PDB file of all heavy atoms in Angstrom:
ATOM      1  N   ILE A 125     -13.920   0.015  12.830  1.00 89.00           N
ATOM      2  CA  ILE A 125     -14.746  -1.173  13.093  1.00 89.00           C
ATOM      3  C   ILE A 125     -15.889  -1.275  12.097  1.00 89.00           C
ATOM      4  O   ILE A 125     -16.169  -2.358  11.571  1.00 89.00           O
ATOM      5  CB  ILE A 125     -15.279  -1.134  14.543  1.00 89.00           C
ATOM      6  CG1 ILE A 125     -14.116  -1.300  15.520  1.00 89.00           C
ATOM      7  CG2 ILE A 125     -16.327  -2.222  14.769  1.00 89.00           C
ATOM      8  CD1 ILE A 125     -14.489  -1.051  16.959  1.00 89.00           C
ATOM      9  N   MET A 126     -16.525  -0.159  11.808  1.00 89.00           N
ATOM     10  CA  MET A 126     -17.692  -0.172  10.918  1.00 89.00           C
ATOM     11  C   MET A 126     -17.337   0.093   9.465  1.00 89.00           C
ATOM     12  O   MET A 126     -18.229   0.120   8.619  1.00 89.00           O
ATOM     13  CB  MET A 126     -18.709   0.866  11.398  1.00 89.00           C
ATOM     14  CG  MET A 126     -19.256   0.572  12.776  1.00 89.00           C
ATOM     15  SD  MET A 126     -20.533   1.719  13.310  1.00 89.00           S
ATOM     16  CE  MET A 126     -19.641   3.251  13.413  1.00 89.00           C
ATOM     17  N   SER A 127     -16.071   0.325   9.164  1.00 85.00           N
ATOM     18  CA  SER A 127     -15.612   0.644   7.804  1.00 85.00           C
ATOM     19  C   SER A 127     -16.412   1.796   7.199  1.00 85.00           C
ATOM     20  O   SER A 127     -16.929   1.710   6.084  1.00 85.00           O
ATOM     21  CB  SER A 127     -15.690  -0.578   6.900  1.00 85.00           C
ATOM     22  OG  SER A 127     -14.809  -1.572   7.341  1.00 85.00           O
ATOM     23  N   VAL A 128     -16.514   2.882   7.952  1.00 83.00           N
ATOM     24  CA  VAL A 128     -17.311   4.031   7.513  1.00 83.00           C
ATOM     25  C   VAL A 128     -16.617   4.774   6.378  1.00 83.00           C
ATOM     26  O   VAL A 128     -17.253   5.158   5.411  1.00 83.00           O
ATOM     27  CB  VAL A 128     -17.589   4.974   8.695  1.00 83.00           C
ATOM     28  CG1 VAL A 128     -18.241   6.263   8.238  1.00 83.00           C
ATOM     29  CG2 VAL A 128     -18.458   4.279   9.718  1.00 83.00           C
ATOM     30  N   LEU A 129     -15.324   4.969   6.467  1.00 84.00           N
ATOM     31  CA  LEU A 129     -14.573   5.714   5.458  1.00 84.00           C
ATOM     32  C   LEU A 129     -13.558   4.793   4.791  1.00 84.00           C
ATOM     33  O   LEU A 129     -13.191   3.756   5.347  1.00 84.00           O
ATOM     34  CB  LEU A 129     -13.838   6.887   6.119  1.00 84.00           C
ATOM     35  CG  LEU A 129     -14.707   7.953   6.770  1.00 84.00           C
ATOM     36  CD1 LEU A 129     -13.835   8.954   7.496  1.00 84.00           C
ATOM     37  CD2 LEU A 129     -15.565   8.641   5.741  1.00 84.00           C
ATOM     38  N   PRO A 130     -13.074   5.178   3.613  1.00 86.00           N
ATOM     39  CA  PRO A 130     -12.019   4.384   2.980  1.00 86.00           C
ATOM     40  C   PRO A 130     -10.769   4.323   3.856  1.00 86.00           C
ATOM     41  O   PRO A 130     -10.488   5.228   4.643  1.00 86.00           O
ATOM     42  CB  PRO A 130     -11.718   5.135   1.683  1.00 86.00           C
ATOM     43  CG  PRO A 130     -12.900   5.979   1.423  1.00 86.00           C
ATOM     44  CD  PRO A 130     -13.509   6.284   2.763  1.00 86.00           C
ATOM     45  N   GLU A 131     -10.006   3.253   3.708  1.00 86.00           N
ATOM     46  CA  GLU A 131      -8.819   3.055   4.534  1.00 86.00           C
ATOM     47  C   GLU A 131      -7.810   4.177   4.358  1.00 86.00           C
ATOM     48  O   GLU A 131      -7.161   4.603   5.314  1.00 86.00           O
ATOM     49  CB  GLU A 131      -8.171   1.720   4.176  1.00 86.00           C
ATOM     50  CG  GLU A 131      -6.986   1.377   5.028  1.00 86.00           C
ATOM     51  CD  GLU A 131      -6.399   0.028   4.685  1.00 86.00           C
ATOM     52  OE1 GLU A 131      -7.057  -0.769   4.023  1.00 86.00           O
ATOM     53  OE2 GLU A 131      -5.241  -0.200   5.097  1.00 86.00           O
ATOM     54  N   GLU A 132      -7.671   4.688   3.130  1.00 86.00           N
ATOM     55  CA  GLU A 132      -6.723   5.779   2.887  1.00 86.00           C
ATOM     56  C   GLU A 132      -7.098   7.036   3.652  1.00 86.00           C
ATOM     57  O   GLU A 132      -6.241   7.756   4.162  1.00 86.00           O
ATOM     58  CB  GLU A 132      -6.638   6.102   1.390  1.00 86.00           C
ATOM     59  CG  GLU A 132      -6.138   4.970   0.529  1.00 86.00           C
ATOM     60  CD  GLU A 132      -7.246   4.019   0.112  1.00 86.00           C
ATOM     61  OE1 GLU A 132      -8.433   4.424   0.120  1.00 86.00           O
ATOM     62  OE2 GLU A 132      -6.925   2.862  -0.199  1.00 86.00           O
ATOM     63  N   THR A 133      -8.385   7.295   3.740  1.00 85.00           N
ATOM     64  CA  THR A 133      -8.855   8.485   4.454  1.00 85.00           C
ATOM     65  C   THR A 133      -8.609   8.346   5.946  1.00 85.00           C
ATOM     66  O   THR A 133      -8.156   9.298   6.602  1.00 85.00           O
ATOM     67  CB  THR A 133     -10.350   8.708   4.187  1.00 85.00           C
ATOM     68  OG1 THR A 133     -10.560   8.767   2.783  1.00 85.00           O
ATOM     69  CG2 THR A 133     -10.835   9.983   4.828  1.00 85.00           C
ATOM     70  N   ARG A 134      -8.884   7.170   6.481  1.00 86.00           N
ATOM     71  CA  ARG A 134      -8.627   6.949   7.906  1.00 86.00           C
ATOM     72  C   ARG A 134      -7.137   7.057   8.209  1.00 86.00           C
ATOM     73  O   ARG A 134      -6.741   7.635   9.221  1.00 86.00           O
ATOM     74  CB  ARG A 134      -9.174   5.590   8.335  1.00 86.00           C
ATOM     75  CG  ARG A 134     -10.688   5.496   8.280  1.00 86.00           C
ATOM     76  CD  ARG A 134     -11.202   4.245   8.954  1.00 86.00           C
ATOM     77  NE  ARG A 134     -10.604   3.017   8.469  1.00 86.00           N
ATOM     78  CZ  ARG A 134     -11.132   2.209   7.568  1.00 86.00           C
ATOM     79  NH1 ARG A 134     -12.309   2.497   7.039  1.00 86.00           N
ATOM     80  NH2 ARG A 134     -10.522   1.098   7.213  1.00 86.00           N
ATOM     81  N   LEU A 135      -6.306   6.518   7.327  1.00 87.00           N
ATOM     82  CA  LEU A 135      -4.859   6.606   7.519  1.00 87.00           C
ATOM     83  C   LEU A 135      -4.384   8.056   7.454  1.00 87.00           C
ATOM     84  O   LEU A 135      -3.566   8.489   8.265  1.00 87.00           O
ATOM     85  CB  LEU A 135      -4.132   5.763   6.471  1.00 87.00           C
ATOM     86  CG  LEU A 135      -2.606   5.760   6.542  1.00 87.00           C
ATOM     87  CD1 LEU A 135      -2.135   5.175   7.860  1.00 87.00           C
ATOM     88  CD2 LEU A 135      -2.036   4.984   5.373  1.00 87.00           C
ATOM     89  N   SER A 136      -4.912   8.808   6.511  1.00 87.00           N
ATOM     90  CA  SER A 136      -4.551  10.225   6.405  1.00 87.00           C
ATOM     91  C   SER A 136      -4.970  10.996   7.646  1.00 87.00           C
ATOM     92  O   SER A 136      -4.214  11.836   8.154  1.00 87.00           O
ATOM     93  CB  SER A 136      -5.202  10.855   5.177  1.00 87.00           C
ATOM     94  OG  SER A 136      -4.720  10.269   4.007  1.00 87.00           O
ATOM     95  N   ASN A 137      -6.174  10.705   8.140  1.00 87.00           N
ATOM     96  CA  ASN A 137      -6.644  11.375   9.350  1.00 87.00           C
ATOM     97  C   ASN A 137      -5.741  11.026  10.525  1.00 87.00           C
ATOM     98  O   ASN A 137      -5.401  11.901  11.337  1.00 87.00           O
ATOM     99  CB  ASN A 137      -8.090  10.965   9.644  1.00 87.00           C
ATOM    100  CG  ASN A 137      -8.710  11.814  10.728  1.00 87.00           C
ATOM    101  OD1 ASN A 137      -8.272  12.916  11.002  1.00 87.00           O
ATOM    102  ND2 ASN A 137      -9.740  11.275  11.356  1.00 87.00           N
ATOM    103  N   TRP A 138      -5.332   9.780  10.629  1.00 89.00           N
ATOM    104  CA  TRP A 138      -4.420   9.358  11.694  1.00 89.00           C
ATOM    105  C   TRP A 138      -3.076  10.074  11.578  1.00 89.00           C
ATOM    106  O   TRP A 138      -2.530  10.543  12.563  1.00 89.00           O
ATOM    107  CB  TRP A 138      -4.227   7.846  11.620  1.00 89.00           C
ATOM    108  CG  TRP A 138      -3.251   7.315  12.614  1.00 89.00           C
ATOM    109  CD1 TRP A 138      -1.948   6.999  12.379  1.00 89.00           C
ATOM    110  CD2 TRP A 138      -3.478   7.073  13.992  1.00 89.00           C
ATOM    111  NE1 TRP A 138      -1.349   6.566  13.529  1.00 89.00           N
ATOM    112  CE2 TRP A 138      -2.277   6.596  14.536  1.00 89.00           C
ATOM    113  CE3 TRP A 138      -4.579   7.202  14.823  1.00 89.00           C
ATOM    114  CZ2 TRP A 138      -2.143   6.256  15.873  1.00 89.00           C
ATOM    115  CZ3 TRP A 138      -4.442   6.858  16.155  1.00 89.00           C
ATOM    116  CH2 TRP A 138      -3.237   6.395  16.662  1.00 89.00           C
ATOM    117  N   GLN A 139      -2.539  10.158  10.349  1.00 90.00           N
ATOM    118  CA  GLN A 139      -1.240  10.782  10.126  1.00 90.00           C
ATOM    119  C   GLN A 139      -1.261  12.280  10.388  1.00 90.00           C
ATOM    120  O   GLN A 139      -0.227  12.877  10.667  1.00 90.00           O
ATOM    121  CB  GLN A 139      -0.750  10.515   8.705  1.00 90.00           C
ATOM    122  CG  GLN A 139      -0.378   9.076   8.478  1.00 90.00           C
ATOM    123  CD  GLN A 139      -0.048   8.777   7.026  1.00 90.00           C
ATOM    124  OE1 GLN A 139      -0.396   9.542   6.127  1.00 90.00           O
ATOM    125  NE2 GLN A 139       0.604   7.648   6.793  1.00 90.00           N
ATOM    126  N   ILE A 140      -2.405  12.897  10.312  1.00 89.00           N
ATOM    127  CA  ILE A 140      -2.521  14.329  10.596  1.00 89.00           C
ATOM    128  C   ILE A 140      -2.854  14.564  12.070  1.00 89.00           C
ATOM    129  O   ILE A 140      -2.247  15.410  12.728  1.00 89.00           O
ATOM    130  CB  ILE A 140      -3.589  14.976   9.685  1.00 89.00           C
ATOM    131  CG1 ILE A 140      -3.106  14.957   8.238  1.00 89.00           C
ATOM    132  CG2 ILE A 140      -3.901  16.393  10.137  1.00 89.00           C
ATOM    133  CD1 ILE A 140      -4.172  15.330   7.232  1.00 89.00           C
ATOM    134  N   ALA A 141      -3.790  13.787  12.605  1.00 89.00           N
ATOM    135  CA  ALA A 141      -4.277  14.031  13.967  1.00 89.00           C
ATOM    136  C   ALA A 141      -3.247  13.668  15.033  1.00 89.00           C
ATOM    137  O   ALA A 141      -3.129  14.377  16.037  1.00 89.00           O
ATOM    138  CB  ALA A 141      -5.567  13.247  14.214  1.00 89.00           C
ATOM    139  N   LEU A 142      -2.496  12.597  14.829  1.00 92.00           N
ATOM    140  CA  LEU A 142      -1.544  12.179  15.855  1.00 92.00           C
ATOM    141  C   LEU A 142      -0.429  13.206  16.082  1.00 92.00           C
ATOM    142  O   LEU A 142      -0.192  13.608  17.228  1.00 92.00           O
ATOM    143  CB  LEU A 142      -0.966  10.802  15.526  1.00 92.00           C
ATOM    144  CG  LEU A 142      -0.085  10.187  16.594  1.00 92.00           C
ATOM    145  CD1 LEU A 142      -0.862   9.975  17.880  1.00 92.00           C
ATOM    146  CD2 LEU A 142       0.487   8.874  16.100  1.00 92.00           C
ATOM    147  N   PRO A 143       0.259  13.688  15.037  1.00 93.00           N
ATOM    148  CA  PRO A 143       1.277  14.720  15.295  1.00 93.00           C
ATOM    149  C   PRO A 143       0.695  16.015  15.861  1.00 93.00           C
ATOM    150  O   PRO A 143       1.315  16.642  16.732  1.00 93.00           O
ATOM    151  CB  PRO A 143       1.910  14.969  13.925  1.00 93.00           C
ATOM    152  CG  PRO A 143       1.592  13.776  13.116  1.00 93.00           C
ATOM    153  CD  PRO A 143       0.308  13.240  13.639  1.00 93.00           C
ATOM    154  N   LEU A 144      -0.488  16.410  15.404  1.00 91.00           N
ATOM    155  CA  LEU A 144      -1.102  17.625  15.943  1.00 91.00           C
ATOM    156  C   LEU A 144      -1.436  17.473  17.425  1.00 91.00           C
ATOM    157  O   LEU A 144      -1.245  18.400  18.215  1.00 91.00           O
ATOM    158  CB  LEU A 144      -2.357  17.986  15.153  1.00 91.00           C
ATOM    159  CG  LEU A 144      -2.130  18.562  13.763  1.00 91.00           C
ATOM    160  CD1 LEU A 144      -3.458  18.780  13.054  1.00 91.00           C
ATOM    161  CD2 LEU A 144      -1.345  19.852  13.835  1.00 91.00           C
ATOM    162  N   THR A 145      -1.905  16.297  17.810  1.00 92.00           N
ATOM    163  CA  THR A 145      -2.210  16.053  19.216  1.00 92.00           C
ATOM    164  C   THR A 145      -0.946  16.071  20.064  1.00 92.00           C
ATOM    165  O   THR A 145      -0.911  16.681  21.138  1.00 92.00           O
ATOM    166  CB  THR A 145      -2.932  14.703  19.381  1.00 92.00           C
ATOM    167  OG1 THR A 145      -4.110  14.710  18.581  1.00 92.00           O
ATOM    168  CG2 THR A 145      -3.296  14.438  20.826  1.00 92.00           C
ATOM    169  N   ILE A 146       0.106  15.427  19.584  1.00 93.00           N
ATOM    170  CA  ILE A 146       1.363  15.384  20.331  1.00 93.00           C
ATOM    171  C   ILE A 146       1.951  16.782  20.476  1.00 93.00           C
ATOM    172  O   ILE A 146       2.377  17.189  21.561  1.00 93.00           O
ATOM    173  CB  ILE A 146       2.353  14.414  19.659  1.00 93.00           C
ATOM    174  CG1 ILE A 146       1.853  12.986  19.828  1.00 93.00           C
ATOM    175  CG2 ILE A 146       3.753  14.571  20.230  1.00 93.00           C
ATOM    176  CD1 ILE A 146       2.626  11.965  19.047  1.00 93.00           C
ATOM    177  N   ILE A 147       1.964  17.546  19.391  1.00 94.00           N
ATOM    178  CA  ILE A 147       2.486  18.916  19.452  1.00 94.00           C
ATOM    179  C   ILE A 147       1.652  19.766  20.404  1.00 94.00           C
ATOM    180  O   ILE A 147       2.179  20.546  21.198  1.00 94.00           O
ATOM    181  CB  ILE A 147       2.540  19.536  18.039  1.00 94.00           C
ATOM    182  CG1 ILE A 147       3.636  18.859  17.218  1.00 94.00           C
ATOM    183  CG2 ILE A 147       2.771  21.035  18.107  1.00 94.00           C
ATOM    184  CD1 ILE A 147       3.594  19.206  15.755  1.00 94.00           C
TER     185      ILE A 147
END
Side-chain angles (χ1 to χ4, degrees):
I125 293 170
M126 297 184 295
S127 295
V128 172
L129 297 174
E131 184 178 344
E132 298 86 22
T133 305
R134 293 191 306 262
L135 180 62
S136 296
N137 191 22
W138 177 261
Q139 291 173 342
I140 293 169
L142 187 61
L144 286 176
T145 303
I146 291 172
I147 290 169

